[in-house]
Structures are given as structure tokens and as C-alpha cells.
Amino acid sequence: MGGDRRGELSDAEWERLRPFLPVSNGRCGRWRDHRQVIYGILHRVRTGVHRRDLPERFGPWKTVYERHRLWSADGTWERLLRQVQAAADAAGEIDWDVSVDSTSVRAHQHAAGARTAPPPVPGRSKGAGRGTPGRIAVAESGRPAGGGGAGGEGLGRSLGGFTSKIHLSADGRCRPLSLIITPGQRADCTQFAPVLEKIRVPRQGIGRPRKKPDSVAADKAYSNGPCRQYLRQRGIRHTIPEKADSQAARQRRGSRGGRPPGFDRDRYKKRNTVERAINKLKNHRAVATRYDKRGYVFLGTVAAASVAIWLRT
């Protein structure tokens, strides 16, 4: 395929992804060529182009949109991300010194106006017997999250205006390990435990998925008792700087204030890995600006960008 190749994978990168892709169930027809459609999805994620303006070489824009919507709804993009992570872990390529942070994403005006009713169950929506949704074979899942207004779709108001927030953890090689989408005004510390709980890298072979990092680094936004207690309960070493007001309050209490929390300055220098992971994500224009109305579709967009980052590193 000629023309603009942004978002497309090399042959080697494609071969790393291909074994994990869903296959047809043989009951309702076949998938349209995976490679063509996935390249269309990644092109849209990378460039932010309106789906109706996708180049013709990616096939019908409705097919590209429906494939991405369905894979976002049933969690296929997140499963692909975990499978790619599992292959990297089996090769010893994951640095388990993890960092946690968040980033705000400005929502385009097109992201507003989703229906207040919850999204339809994948594969059972109106017209399920026609088009791509009726032909695909993916794992059954429940109703995707959403509905009930902007808050239910991960949209909110913050200093940046109409925004969403991406909470993520990243390994020591600047690659996203887990992702959560919330309204833009949601405090970072409230999503600290959920982000770490969402780390789940399967084993290739026998064994439980790996969920526990070697260490965690985070900035002062996560410097509170519940975050530190959660890490102590799980036995995870951590480096989080103490807030000035917390330090002053502890010192005022004297011996009753307890010992200051441990802080490894050299380990904290590695926290920039999550900032660099955010930069890689926001190189994808459909991540840097949210165009998706539904929160689960935007999560799928971020997950698709994360899959591309893992395949390219």
C-alpha cells in the first residue's frame, strides 16, 4: 500500500501481532482482511483523521469503525495488549520497576453528545445480523461501561476545560502496562490502586499472570496514607516524595509523628519513564485529543496506541 504510511506496522511487527488476533467462528462469514482493517484503525489513531476521511486503501470506513468499536467494547484491544506484553515478558524484555502517573486529554466538541442509554451488548446490537458486528467471533462479554451522561463516558470539567484523564502505569522501558479512563477532574490518588490492580501480564505456558511489580515510583500527587498502605500490604517497594505539609505536620507531632517515609532519590529519577510513555501515547493524535463519544471506545483507542508502542520497541 502506497501513500501515507503513518500508523502502519512493518512486516516483522505484524508477525508479532498476527498470532493473537481473533479468528472467524465460521457461522456468519469471514472477517475482512485483518491487516487492511487494523492498519486503517492505527492510521486513524495516529493521525486523528475523521473516520469518513480514511484513505480508500483501508477499505470501507464503516468496517474500520465497527471493528474498532466492537473490539473496544468486548476488550479485544486490551487482550491484545496483554498478549503482546506476555511475549515481551517471556523474552525477559520487561523492566518491572514501574512508574504511575496520569495525563489530561482535551476533549473535542465531537466527543460530546453520547446517548444517555448504556451502549448495546457486543454482537447483539440493532442490525446484529448485518455488517461486520454480525460476522465476528470474539469472546462474549457483558455490556460495556458508559451511559448516564458525560460522567459515565469519562468526560468532565477541569482547568483545561472539557477533558478526560488517562491514568496509567509504565514499565522501565517507557511502555504502558495498564490504563484507566476517568473524567478530567478525577484526583490521581483515587486511581492509584485500580491502575496497579489492572497490571496483568499472562505467562506463556503454565503459571498465573504476573501482577506485582518489583518497585513503584510516583510523584507527590500519590503521597498519602492509603496509597502507601496499599503498597505496604502488597509488599511492594516504593519511592514517593513526601508533601511539605505532611512533613511539617509530622515534625510538629515530634516522636508521635513517626519516622519519615523512605525515599530513594536515584530510583525516583527513573520516574521519567512514565512521562516518556505519556509522550509516546500523545504522539497519536486521536489520543492527544479525544474525538470518541463513548468512554469504552476511547479506552480502546488508547489501548490500540499502546499495542503499537509495544510492537515497535
Side-chain angles (χ1 to χ4, degrees):
M1 292 187 290
D4 188 354
R5 302 296 297 273
R6 284 180 294 177
E8 297 179 15
L9 305 174
S10 68
D11 290 340
E13 292 163 354
W14 174 255
E15 287 303 315
R16 292 176 61 189
L17 178 65
R18 183 178 56 79
F20 309 127
L21 296 174
V23 296
S24 172
N25 61 4
R27 293 178 301 176
C28 304
R30 297 182 179 179
W31 292 92
R32 189 179 183 91
D33 180 46
H34 269 323
R35 191 165 188 173
Q36 181 187 36
V37 177
I38 289 175
Y39 278 11
I41 294 170
L42 294 180
H43 180 86
R44 183 260 173 182
V45 171
R46 177 66 180 85
T47 63
V49 65
H50 194 283
R51 58 179 178 266
R52 292 177 183 267
D53 297 327
L54 277 172
E56 292 182 0
R57 67 178 183 274
F58 299 124
W61 68 265
K62 286 187 177 180
T63 300
V64 175
Y65 168 71
E66 286 296 333
R67 185 82 56 91
H68 178 55
R69 184 194 63 79
L70 187 75
W71 282 12
S72 299
D74 66 15
T76 295
W77 280 119
E78 292 184 277
R79 286 195 293 273
L80 290 175
L81 177 59
R82 287 196 293 268
Q83 292 297 330
V84 172
Q85 291 170 348
D89 189 43
E93 296 176 353
I94 295 183
D95 182 344
W96 284 97
D97 285 335
V98 171
S99 298
V100 176
D101 206 348
S102 71
T103 182
S104 292
V105 174
R106 188 67 179 267
H108 192 272
Q109 61 183 1
H110 292 168
R115 295 180 180 179
T116 56
V121 176
R124 300 178 187 176
S125 57
K126 183 178 180 181
R130 306 188 302 272
T132 303
R135 296 200 309 268
I136 27 197
V138 290
E140 290 293 331
S141 66
R143 187 182 299 274
E153 302 298 346
L155 291 165
R157 298 286 180 178
S158 65
L159 292 177
F162 199 42
T163 55
S164 294
K165 186 175 280 189
I166 303 172
H167 305 262
L168 73 156
S169 63
D171 81 328
R173 297 184 64 184
C174 313
R175 300 171 297 187
L177 281 170
S178 59
L179 304 160
I180 290 178
I181 306 298
T182 68
Q185 74 275 13
R186 189 66 55 84
D188 292 357
C189 61
T190 63
Q191 303 303 309
F192 182 72
V195 163
L196 291 178
E197 290 287 344
K198 206 171 180 182
I199 295 175
R200 185 183 179 88
V201 178
R203 308 282 187 180
Q204 288 195 335
I206 300 175
R208 296 179 179 179
R210 175 158 183 178
K211 302 178 181 180
K212 182 178 175 181
D214 292 334
S215 68
V216 171
D219 61 21
K220 290 184 179 180
Y222 304 92
S223 180
N224 60 29
C227 291
R228 295 184 190 275
Q229 183 179 7
Y230 169 80
L231 292 167
R232 285 195 297 268
Q233 288 175 345
R234 292 192 63 189
I236 300 174
R237 295 183 293 111
H238 59 278
T239 298
I240 303 175
E242 189 179 19
K243 293 180 180 179
D245 57 348
S246 299
Q247 183 178 9
R250 176 176 51 78
Q251 291 174 346
R252 284 196 303 269
R253 293 173 58 86
S255 60
R256 293 178 300 168
R259 296 179 179 179
F263 182 73
D264 186 339
R265 193 172 298 275
D266 290 333
R267 170 66 182 92
Y268 189 69
K269 291 178 182 179
K270 290 183 65 177
R271 197 191 66 83
N272 70 84
T273 54
V274 69
E275 304 286 356
R276 289 152 63 190
I278 289 171
N279 288 340
K280 288 183 178 182
L281 281 173
K282 286 193 166 181
N283 280 336
H284 299 79
R285 297 179 68 86
V287 175
T289 301
R290 173 175 169 173
Y291 301 99
D292 301 309
K293 293 182 184 294
R294 291 293 191 185
Y296 73 88
V297 177
F298 183 58
L299 177 59
T301 296
V302 182
S306 300
V307 169
I309 291 171
W310 277 87
L311 292 173
R312 290 168 179 154
T313 52

